[in-house]
Structure formats: structure tokens, C-alpha cells
Amino acid sequence: MKPIIYKIKLFVAVVAMSYLFVTTSFADEMTKLNPYDEIEITEDDINLMSALVFLESRGESIEGQRAVVEVVLNRCLSSDFPDTINEVIYQRKQFSTAKMLSKTTPNEENIEAVRYVLENGNTSLTTTEYVYFSTGKSNGHGFTKLGNHWFSK
């Protein structure tokens, strides 16, 4: 009788360990789904991106506003652009509205667009390869359109 009880206890232990391994691995993978978690972001960065969203995508859907945020963050992740939000936004000849940001007050929808992307990752563009947007197909390749903006790689 003891060998059967030992085997049952061993089986239960293996099942419990397997469950913990699977759920822990799954939880670890879930935390990796947001590619922007590795970017150091301050409240000033959030305010700056919100102002940029106001100027660059005012009148666009919330999805279009989020996509603009994603482009900024994608640039931070790209080796072709600076590493910080401030440097990306103020990089020479990138965002024509940059000179107006200090005088801009974003609305709640703009702020929510930024916070949503920071919390949920790239949901509008689905890949971190999109680093450009414009009102026409002028930069890059792999175009996708959201509202009045073209996003490209």
C-alpha cells in the first residue's frame, strides 16, 4: 500500500510543479508583450508626447492618436533614432510641430492615448517597425493608413 501512496504523492507533486512552471512561464511571457516597457519614461515625457499628439493628430480617431504615440516610442527602440522621447521629438527635421510643443495644452483624449499605449503596448500598428507617419506616402515602405495619416517602416 505504501508504494501506491508514494506514487500518488509523487504524481501530485509533479502535476503541481508542472502547473507552477507553466503559469509562471506564461506570466513571464505576458509581461514581455509590451515592447515599450524597456523605455524609461517620465511624466514630462508623457506630457510632451500628449502635446505632440494634440498637434500632429488632432481630429484623428483615438486609434490614430495612439499610432502617433507608437511611432515616437518605436523610434526610441530603433537604432536609427535617439533613445529618449525628448531627443526623438526634438530631433532636427522630424516633427514640424516640435517648436510649438511648449505652448501646447493637450486634451484628456491625447493624454489617454499616450497612457493607453504605455500600458498596453503597440495596439494600433501591431509592430515596432513603424517609425514614420505623414499625410501622404512620403517616407519609408510598408505603408498602412489610419484616418488621414500614412504610417510606414
Side-chain angles (χ1 to χ4, degrees), residues 1-11:
M1 188 66 128
K2 283 187 179 180
I4 291 175
I5 292 174
Y6 173 75
K7 288 179 182 177
I8 291 172
K9 285 182 179 179
L10 181 61
F11 176 75

Side-chain angles (χ1 to χ4, degrees), residues 31 95 116:
T31 61
F95 295 101
Y116 183 89

Side-chain angles (χ1 to χ4, degrees), residues 21-91:
F21 176 76
V22 168
T23 57
T24 303
S25 296
F26 180 72
D28 289 345
E29 286 303 312
M30 289 303 291
T31 61
K32 293 179 187 175
L33 291 179
N34 187 340
Y36 308 130
D37 284 344
E38 66 186 70
I39 303 170
E40 191 172 314
I41 299 170
T42 67
E43 279 300 312
D44 287 342
D45 293 330
I46 292 170
N47 294 333
L48 186 61
M49 284 191 290
S50 299
L52 183 74
V53 167
F54 178 82
L55 292 173
E56 293 283 352
S57 62
R58 184 177 23 196
E60 295 294 324
S61 68
I62 191 69
E63 184 179 21
Q65 292 178 52
R66 289 174 186 162
V68 169
V69 176
E70 291 175 35
V71 165
V72 172
L73 297 172
N74 292 347
R75 287 183 179 198
C76 289
L77 296 175
S78 171
S79 60
D80 295 332
F81 294 92
D83 295 344
T84 69
I85 290 165
N86 192 292
E87 290 172 333
V88 162
I89 290 174
Y90 287 111
Q91 185 178 18

Side-chain angles (χ1 to χ4, degrees), residues 73-124:
L73 297 172
N74 292 347
R75 287 183 179 198
C76 289
L77 296 175
S78 171
S79 60
D80 295 332
F81 294 92
D83 295 344
T84 69
I85 290 165
N86 192 292
E87 290 172 333
V88 162
I89 290 174
Y90 287 111
Q91 185 178 18
R92 194 166 177 250
K93 295 186 177 185
Q94 294 302 305
F95 295 101
S96 60
T97 59
K99 60 187 172 285
M100 297 180 276
L101 291 172
S102 64
K103 298 173 186 152
T104 301
T105 303
N107 61 41
E108 280 303 311
E109 187 177 51
N110 308 139
I111 296 165
E112 177 54 35
V114 172
R115 292 198 183 279
Y116 183 89
V117 172
L118 293 176
E119 193 173 306
N120 297 288
N122 53 334
T123 59
S124 294

